[in-house]
Amino acid sequence: MTPSRNRLALVAVLGAGSLALSGCAVLGPQLGDSETGASSPLVESLDLVNPGQLTVCSDIPYPPFEFMQGSDLVGYDIDIVQRIADDLGVPLSVVDSSFEAIESGSSLTGCDINASSISITEARQQIMAFSVPYLDDDLVLVAEEGSGITDLESAQGKRVGVQAATTGEAFAEENGLTPIQFEDGGMQLEALRAGTVEAVLGNQSVVLYNVKDDPQYEVVAELPTGEQLGVAVAPEQAKLLSAVNASLQGMEEDGTLDESRVRWFGEAATEGDQ
């Protein structure tokens, strides 16, 4: 397939079954505007790390999930956590955290929620409690057209950029590739453009978003790992997890989750839900 057809086909998967209902810096101290929720019985029972506000840890930038657009913090995850804060009736505070701290669960000592395109894995479920999935997100291998890399086998022995502590890194190691670690997804893609790595392996949502305007790059392997993304909380925060799931349910029912998918992933993102 041509690169454009690859991207269209893969981005369409993002909406399919995505809500199966069965060193830190504070970037958004008061992104919400409600004034009444802080005194509600539900909020008082949640044991929030900062009483009266919802504190969220996220690895920024990681477009299209969380990144700065001018002076505004935006993205698919930000839409979701803002809705959760709005439903609780409290302001939203977003803390920029490393993904290593997020995926290990250690960030939850200072945050109520982890929301940063986190794939739900058995290992992570041992240390965090996850919401219902809100996005399906398989892996892809992307290389420059004409690079000689056409599949996983031809990528053997090549420099393959991955984000540290992600499922992409684990997949690369398990399949005999030579992963070059980067702290965040932006650095991973810049390395591809600079020729520091010969290919990148990561979640389709982020990789394809970042190369969509670069026709010289193509998807050389679609890796259907069955990954799903979720919001994570500390295991003891059962009430908060219920509130998160209620917000996701509400977004699915009123159409705002579909609107957000289209905004950040394109019109094809909801085709799987039709």
Side-chain angles (χ1 to χ4, degrees):
M1 287 190 290
T2 65
S4 61
R5 286 181 62 197
N6 273 327
R7 291 177 192 141
L8 179 60
L10 285 166
V11 79
V13 177
L14 294 172
S18 54
L19 189 58
L21 296 173
S22 33
C24 299
V26 178
L27 296 184
Q30 296 224 339
L31 297 179
D33 57 6
S34 177
E35 299 177 355
T36 60
S39 60
S40 72
L42 172 59
V43 171
E44 290 177 354
S45 72
L46 291 181
D47 191 26
L48 301 176
V49 295
N50 294 301
Q53 73 176 25
L54 183 68
T55 306
V56 175
C57 272
S58 194
D59 179 22
I60 303 164
Y62 199 63
F65 289 91
E66 42 268 336
F67 64 105
M68 299 303 297
Q69 196 170 73
S71 60
D72 298 323
L73 179 60
V74 300
Y76 187 64
D77 283 337
I78 302 306
D79 288 350
I80 289 171
V81 295
Q82 183 64 70
R83 171 61 176 264
I84 296 167
D86 289 346
D87 286 348
L88 290 173
V90 297
L92 173 65
S93 175
V94 179
V95 177
D96 185 6
S97 177
S98 71
F99 192 74
E100 288 88 343
I102 289 170
E103 72 97 25
S104 71
S106 63
S107 58
L108 289 173
T109 59
C111 288
D112 305 302
I113 285 176
N114 280 340
S116 196
S117 181
I118 311 168
S119 295
I120 302 170
T121 67
E122 289 186 10
R124 291 170 183 171
Q125 286 177 312
Q126 300 303 309
I127 53 179
M128 296 181 283
F130 279 92
S131 70
V132 293
Y134 64 81
L135 197 69
D136 295 340
D137 200 11
D138 289 328
L139 298 173
V140 290
L141 180 68
V142 168
E144 189 168 4
E145 194 169 17
S147 67
I149 299 176
T150 57
D151 52 22
L152 279 178
E153 184 177 357
S154 58
Q156 302 288 327
K158 306 293 186 180
R159 300 184 306 277
V160 178
V162 298
Q163 184 176 359
T166 64
T167 53
E169 180 186 20
F171 184 93
E173 292 174 343
E174 291 165 2
N175 287 272
L177 300 181
T178 306
I180 308 298
Q181 291 184 347
F182 294 92
E183 185 177 346
D184 62 53
M187 295 171 64
Q188 176 190 11
L189 272 298
E190 285 306 312
L192 178 64
R193 295 187 177 100
T196 307
V197 297
E198 297 161 275
V200 294
L201 193 155
N203 286 100
Q204 61 187 23
S205 57
V206 172
V207 174
L208 298 186
Y209 178 87
N210 282 282
V211 299
K212 66 182 186 300
D213 297 322
D214 294 323
Q216 69 268 36
Y217 300 111
E218 61 180 338
V219 175
V220 297
E222 303 173 10
L223 310 170
T225 55
E227 290 184 42
Q228 293 183 306
L229 309 184
V231 174
V233 303
E236 65 273 14
Q237 288 280 33
K239 288 184 179 179
L240 178 58
L241 185 60
S242 293
V244 169
N245 284 333
S247 291
L248 287 168
Q249 171 83 54
M251 292 184 76
E252 185 77 359
E253 291 178 349
D254 66 18
T256 55
L257 198 59
D258 274 349
E259 291 173 7
S260 186
R261 290 185 193 124
V262 170
R263 181 182 307 117
W264 300 115
F265 303 112
E267 292 293 338
T270 59
E271 287 180 5
D273 292 329
Q274 302 306 311

